[in-house]
Amino acid sequence: MSPSIQLLKDRYLKNIKKNPQLYIGIELEFPIVHTKGKPTDIEVSKDLMRFLVDALSLKVEKEDQDGNPIQLVEPTSQDRILFEVSYTTLEFAFGRAQNIQEVEGRFQAYMKVIQEKLGEKEHAIQGWGIHPNWDQNDNRPVGYPRYQMLMAYLHMGSRQDRADLHDFPQYGAFICGSQVQLDVSTANYLRVINAFTQIEAAKAYLFANSEFSGADWDTKISRDIFWEESMHGIYPENVGVNAKLFQNEDDFFAYLDRSAIFTAERDGETYYFSPIRARDYLDTDEIPAYTLNRKETLLVPQEKDFQTHRSYQFQDLTTRGTVEFRSVCTQPLDRTFASTAFHLGLLVNLDKFEDYLATAPFFAEFGRDYKSLRRQFSKKQLTDEEKSGIIQFSKDLLAIAEQGLEMRGQREMTYLEPLKEKLTR
């Protein structure tokens, strides 16, 4: 086994249990929007965070370079409220929970206080996958090394001699997603990754919410293009839909070995550099790298740099013994938890889910190029044939998810209602 694969296995397999209890982890990103169509006032955003410390009895976990709180934690639940990349995006990262209602109750309590405070200054949290005023906003990163590094890294795209990269390296400041993490076991994690890879077309249809006004892209999910045609997508294995289903663990890690490393730390300083495949990293003698103030230096690769490795596949194996599902746009506020319920129900009903996918009529009609299917079924206009096929596919999956939620006995089926309504319009 190559050293790089061993390091990746050490990183990603160490916390996967044989028989874990199934917990739910939810991360929700929302744009902070000026309700009169003006740019978001980032001073209003910063003031909100200061206000929430006392209003919600939170503790400051991280501050920016000017001493403004940028990440707050609720000590009991371990919920976190933070800025994500920019001061115009607020993220809720909930502590693990046993059912969806538990998270929704806490979310609604936070939102009541937040919306009231923002409303005083004509601002609000809104349910969009793209900030509606992205082109007017102050899209600078939060004054914190990780976010500054990410934004600087994305801006490296303008120095690449490639025609297939888009012209919006600041996109990290204004795209918003809805992620769910679910516990997986040593026996099922690959099954879960493979099964969900096959349904990205249905998820594109059900959850698209990021049309972009800044380019003529025929898609309702611009976040896919932002990721895939940026520095993050220089190596296709690093982002998006997996290009293949994995036969076994070695096959999966050989794929992950082709993902990218683009950042490292030395003596408390954060560096970024042109992406290098994990498999090539340790064989590289020296790397031209940049500090956050664009000072160039040479780095010698070290094994410890794999500790900051992160790929961005839609079905992402995390270091916490979970699979993170990260292909869903932020949803309208009245369907915030529909995506969580959909993923949870399918995971619980995995056997039936896999059996259905093996013979699904949808694939007989449209093929099994899962990457292309995602793009095809996120188009702004579908043919009658496409619409009929994707609606039936989605209905079948919804029925399997609903059965899975019923098996849990937690009365979570109600969260699927908005999706049912979408498919019967």
Side-chain angles (χ1 to χ4, degrees), residues 146-190:
R146 169 155 180 79
Y147 296 135
Q148 292 168 324
M149 178 277 294
L150 277 173
M151 198 68 88
Y153 171 69
L154 290 172
H155 274 84
M156 286 183 79
S158 61
R159 306 197 292 278
Q160 301 285 317
D161 188 22
R162 290 180 55 139
D164 58 346
L165 300 186
H166 59 68
D167 297 323
F168 305 96
Q170 75 276 33
Y171 75 88
F174 56 74
I175 64 168
C176 296
S178 168
Q179 283 93 245
V180 59
Q181 290 190 34
L182 300 172
D183 286 279
V184 290
S185 69
T186 49
N188 79 4
Y189 80 88
L190 267 188

XYZ file of all heavy atoms in Angstrom, residues 146-190:
364
model
N -8.520 30.367 7.835
C -9.053 29.330 6.944
C -9.862 29.938 5.800
O -9.724 29.549 4.643
C -9.902 28.328 7.727
C -10.670 27.400 6.790
C -11.054 26.065 7.364
N -11.772 25.284 6.367
C -11.200 24.610 5.371
N -9.903 24.625 5.229
N -11.931 23.934 4.507
N -10.717 30.903 6.118
C -11.551 31.496 5.075
C -10.724 32.369 4.137
O -10.965 32.405 2.914
C -12.684 32.307 5.708
C -13.641 31.459 6.518
C -14.075 31.860 7.775
C -14.106 30.246 6.016
C -14.943 31.083 8.522
C -14.980 29.462 6.749
C -15.395 29.877 8.006
O -16.258 29.097 8.734
N -9.767 33.062 4.672
C -8.899 33.875 3.818
C -8.089 32.983 2.876
O -7.908 33.312 1.702
C -7.970 34.726 4.694
C -8.712 35.807 5.475
C -7.841 36.455 6.540
O -7.018 35.789 7.177
N -8.011 37.751 6.746
N -7.643 31.838 3.385
C -6.907 30.899 2.549
C -7.795 30.353 1.438
O -7.391 30.302 0.268
C -6.372 29.746 3.415
C -5.624 28.658 2.645
S -6.714 27.407 1.881
C -7.407 26.622 3.335
N -9.018 29.954 1.790
C -9.922 29.405 0.775
C -10.188 30.404 -0.341
O -10.157 30.064 -1.532
C -11.253 28.999 1.423
C -11.296 27.621 2.087
C -12.611 27.440 2.833
C -11.127 26.513 1.051
N -10.439 31.643 0.027
C -10.748 32.653 -0.990
C -9.515 32.956 -1.835
O -9.619 33.089 -3.068
C -11.265 33.925 -0.314
C -11.995 34.849 -1.253
S -13.560 34.168 -1.845
C -14.658 34.718 -0.555
N -8.356 33.043 -1.203
C -7.129 33.284 -1.961
C -6.843 32.119 -2.909
O -6.429 32.317 -4.055
C -5.963 33.497 -1.002
N -7.089 30.915 -2.428
C -6.879 29.729 -3.259
C -7.798 29.752 -4.481
O -7.365 29.499 -5.612
C -7.127 28.473 -2.422
C -7.139 27.197 -3.235
C -5.973 26.718 -3.819
C -8.316 26.472 -3.406
C -5.981 25.546 -4.561
C -8.334 25.304 -4.142
C -7.162 24.844 -4.726
O -7.179 23.688 -5.462
N -9.068 30.077 -4.274
C -10.003 30.133 -5.401
C -9.603 31.201 -6.408
O -9.772 31.030 -7.610
C -11.430 30.373 -4.889
C -12.053 29.193 -4.134
C -13.371 29.605 -3.499
C -12.246 28.002 -5.061
N -9.041 32.304 -5.920
C -8.604 33.366 -6.824
C -7.376 32.967 -7.640
O -7.044 33.641 -8.623
C -8.329 34.661 -6.040
C -9.561 35.499 -5.839
N -10.442 35.272 -4.804
C -10.084 36.531 -6.549
C -11.437 36.146 -4.872
N -11.248 36.918 -5.925
N -6.715 31.890 -7.256
C -5.612 31.403 -8.077
C -6.094 30.984 -9.463
O -5.314 30.919 -10.407
C -4.934 30.195 -7.415
C -4.075 30.525 -6.227
S -3.259 29.038 -5.576
C -1.904 28.872 -6.744
N -7.397 30.704 -9.576
C -7.945 30.290 -10.865
C -7.704 31.304 -11.962
O -7.540 30.955 -13.135
N -7.666 32.582 -11.593
C -7.453 33.630 -12.598
C -6.031 33.593 -13.143
O -5.742 34.167 -14.190
C -7.740 35.007 -11.988
O -6.865 35.259 -10.902
N -5.153 32.858 -12.452
C -3.778 32.754 -12.928
C -3.509 31.409 -13.617
O -2.390 31.108 -13.977
C -2.801 32.942 -11.754
C -3.047 34.236 -10.979
C -1.876 34.634 -10.116
N -1.617 33.769 -8.993
C -2.262 33.838 -7.816
N -3.236 34.735 -7.657
N -1.944 33.036 -6.815
N -4.567 30.612 -13.761
C -4.420 29.318 -14.442
C -4.685 29.499 -15.934
O -5.605 30.213 -16.329
C -5.421 28.301 -13.887
C -5.275 28.037 -12.406
C -4.080 27.176 -12.087
O -3.809 26.195 -12.759
N -3.344 27.567 -11.051
N -3.914 28.825 -16.747
C -4.109 28.909 -18.194
C -5.114 27.849 -18.626
O -4.793 26.887 -19.320
C -2.766 28.704 -18.910
C -2.868 28.970 -20.409
O -3.810 29.682 -20.809
O -2.023 28.451 -21.162
N -6.353 28.031 -18.157
C -7.402 27.054 -18.473
C -8.669 27.789 -18.870
O -9.112 28.701 -18.194
C -7.696 26.169 -17.252
C -6.563 25.210 -16.920
C -6.901 24.360 -15.721
N -8.168 23.638 -15.913
C -8.350 22.378 -15.542
N -7.366 21.691 -15.007
N -9.512 21.797 -15.697
N -9.265 27.327 -19.961
C -10.460 28.003 -20.475
C -11.730 27.521 -19.789
O -12.795 28.122 -19.949
C -10.572 27.767 -21.982
N -11.639 26.434 -19.026
C -12.859 25.844 -18.481
C -13.160 26.274 -17.046
O -14.030 25.710 -16.408
C -12.786 24.309 -18.549
C -11.576 23.749 -17.801
O -10.670 24.539 -17.467
O -11.538 22.533 -17.561
N -12.463 27.265 -16.535
C -12.766 27.778 -15.206
C -13.655 29.018 -15.327
O -13.453 29.853 -16.199
C -11.482 28.139 -14.448
C -10.479 27.005 -14.209
C -9.329 27.504 -13.322
C -11.141 25.786 -13.586
N -14.643 29.115 -14.447
C -15.545 30.263 -14.504
C -14.860 31.518 -13.941
O -13.744 31.461 -13.420
C -16.850 29.973 -13.766
C -16.682 29.633 -12.316
N -16.259 30.551 -11.375
C -16.881 28.474 -11.631
C -16.215 29.989 -10.187
N -16.574 28.719 -10.305
N -15.566 32.637 -14.058
C -14.982 33.936 -13.679
C -15.480 34.452 -12.334
O -15.493 35.660 -12.095
C -15.313 34.980 -14.756
C -14.695 34.637 -16.097
O -13.563 34.120 -16.087
O -15.349 34.866 -17.124
N -15.883 33.551 -11.438
C -16.469 33.983 -10.162
C -15.754 33.316 -8.986
O -16.364 32.560 -8.216
C -17.968 33.647 -10.136
C -18.730 34.212 -11.301
C -18.980 33.439 -12.426
C -19.171 35.528 -11.290
C -19.673 33.954 -13.509
C -19.867 36.056 -12.363
C -20.118 35.274 -13.478
N -14.458 33.590 -8.826
C -13.735 32.932 -7.733
C -14.236 33.324 -6.350
O -13.944 32.638 -5.368
C -12.295 33.409 -7.945
C -12.408 34.699 -8.691
C -13.597 34.517 -9.593
N -15.017 34.400 -6.278
C -15.568 34.830 -4.989
C -16.820 34.036 -4.610
O -17.470 34.342 -3.610
C -15.882 36.333 -5.032
C -17.118 36.740 -5.821
C -16.871 36.903 -7.317
O -16.055 36.200 -7.907
N -17.596 37.824 -7.946
N -17.151 32.996 -5.392
C -18.425 32.301 -5.182
C -18.578 31.713 -3.774
O -19.694 31.566 -3.265
C -18.612 31.191 -6.223
C -17.776 29.948 -6.003
C -18.234 28.906 -5.204
C -16.534 29.791 -6.616
C -17.477 27.763 -4.999
C -15.765 28.659 -6.421
C -16.247 27.647 -5.616
O -15.483 26.524 -5.428
N -17.467 31.399 -3.133
C -17.555 30.852 -1.780
C -18.255 31.778 -0.809
O -18.791 31.340 0.213
N -18.280 33.070 -1.143
C -18.913 34.058 -0.271
C -20.424 34.091 -0.422
O -21.109 34.659 0.424
C -18.347 35.452 -0.570
N -20.964 33.494 -1.502
C -22.410 33.677 -1.703
C -23.180 32.421 -2.076
O -24.371 32.502 -2.353
C -22.687 34.798 -2.711
C -22.042 34.657 -4.068
C -22.511 33.751 -4.994
C -20.975 35.479 -4.429
C -21.933 33.644 -6.250
C -20.383 35.385 -5.682
C -20.865 34.455 -6.605
N -22.555 31.246 -2.110
C -23.355 30.036 -2.294
C -23.687 29.449 -0.929
O -22.907 29.549 0.010
C -22.658 28.984 -3.179
C -21.381 28.454 -2.528
C -22.381 29.536 -4.566
C -20.836 27.218 -3.219
N -24.868 28.850 -0.834
C -25.330 28.316 0.451
C -25.870 26.905 0.241
O -26.634 26.657 -0.697
C -26.432 29.191 1.036
S -25.881 30.872 1.436
N -25.496 26.000 1.135
C -25.910 24.614 1.002
C -26.539 24.077 2.268
O -26.504 24.696 3.338
N -27.124 22.898 2.116
C -27.758 22.185 3.227
C -27.114 20.807 3.291
O -27.281 20.007 2.376
C -29.266 22.063 2.968
O -29.866 21.159 3.867
N -26.356 20.547 4.347
C -25.656 19.274 4.459
C -26.230 18.438 5.592
O -26.661 18.972 6.616
C -24.161 19.485 4.749
C -23.340 19.890 3.545
C -23.208 21.390 3.399
O -23.697 21.968 2.442
N -22.562 22.031 4.349
N -26.209 17.129 5.389
C -26.593 16.212 6.466
C -25.510 15.150 6.587
O -24.975 14.674 5.581
C -27.987 15.580 6.215
C -28.046 14.815 4.910
C -28.382 14.649 7.360
N -25.170 14.816 7.835
C -24.221 13.740 8.117
C -24.940 12.639 8.869
O -25.679 12.904 9.821
C -23.052 14.242 8.971
C -22.114 15.183 8.255
C -20.852 15.451 9.073
O -20.382 14.576 9.781
N -20.320 16.650 8.951
N -24.725 11.409 8.417
C -25.347 10.259 9.058
C -24.276 9.219 9.378
O -23.366 8.990 8.571
C -26.415 9.652 8.135
C -27.566 10.591 7.745
C -28.457 9.948 6.689
C -28.387 10.986 8.973
N -24.397 8.593 10.530
C -23.419 7.588 10.929
C -23.487 6.376 10.001
O -24.578 5.902 9.636
C -23.688 7.140 12.370
C -23.264 8.187 13.375
O -22.072 8.252 13.687
O -24.136 8.954 13.833
N -22.318 5.886 9.639
C -22.212 4.681 8.822
C -21.301 3.691 9.542
O -20.581 4.054 10.472
C -21.664 4.991 7.414
C -22.691 5.760 6.586
C -20.345 5.781 7.488
N -21.328 2.446 9.084
C -20.532 1.399 9.716
C -19.431 0.928 8.773
O -19.433 1.243 7.579
C -21.423 0.207 10.082
O -21.879 -0.448 8.902
N -18.518 0.145 9.321
C -17.460 -0.421 8.469
C -18.064 -1.277 7.366
O -17.510 -1.372 6.272
C -16.505 -1.279 9.325
O -17.277 -2.177 10.138
C -15.655 -0.412 10.243
N -19.205 -1.891 7.637
C -19.819 -2.783 6.649
C -20.625 -2.051 5.590
O -20.781 -2.556 4.474
C -20.714 -3.802 7.364
N -21.155 -0.855 5.919
C -22.082 -0.249 4.954
C -21.623 1.065 4.335
O -22.301 1.603 3.450
C -23.480 -0.084 5.570
C -23.617 1.119 6.508
O -22.691 1.916 6.676
N -24.770 1.244 7.127
N -20.497 1.630 4.758
C -20.185 2.982 4.283
C -20.027 3.052 2.765
O -20.477 4.015 2.132
C -18.972 3.580 5.008
C -17.608 3.136 4.528
C -16.954 3.804 3.497
C -16.960 2.046 5.103
C -15.701 3.403 3.062
C -15.714 1.647 4.677
C -15.087 2.321 3.649
O -13.858 1.927 3.215
N -19.421 2.025 2.174
C -19.280 2.041 0.711
C -20.612 1.816 0.019
O -20.893 2.411 -1.032
C -18.290 0.962 0.257
C -16.843 1.372 0.095
C -16.039 0.252 -0.540
C -16.702 2.645 -0.741
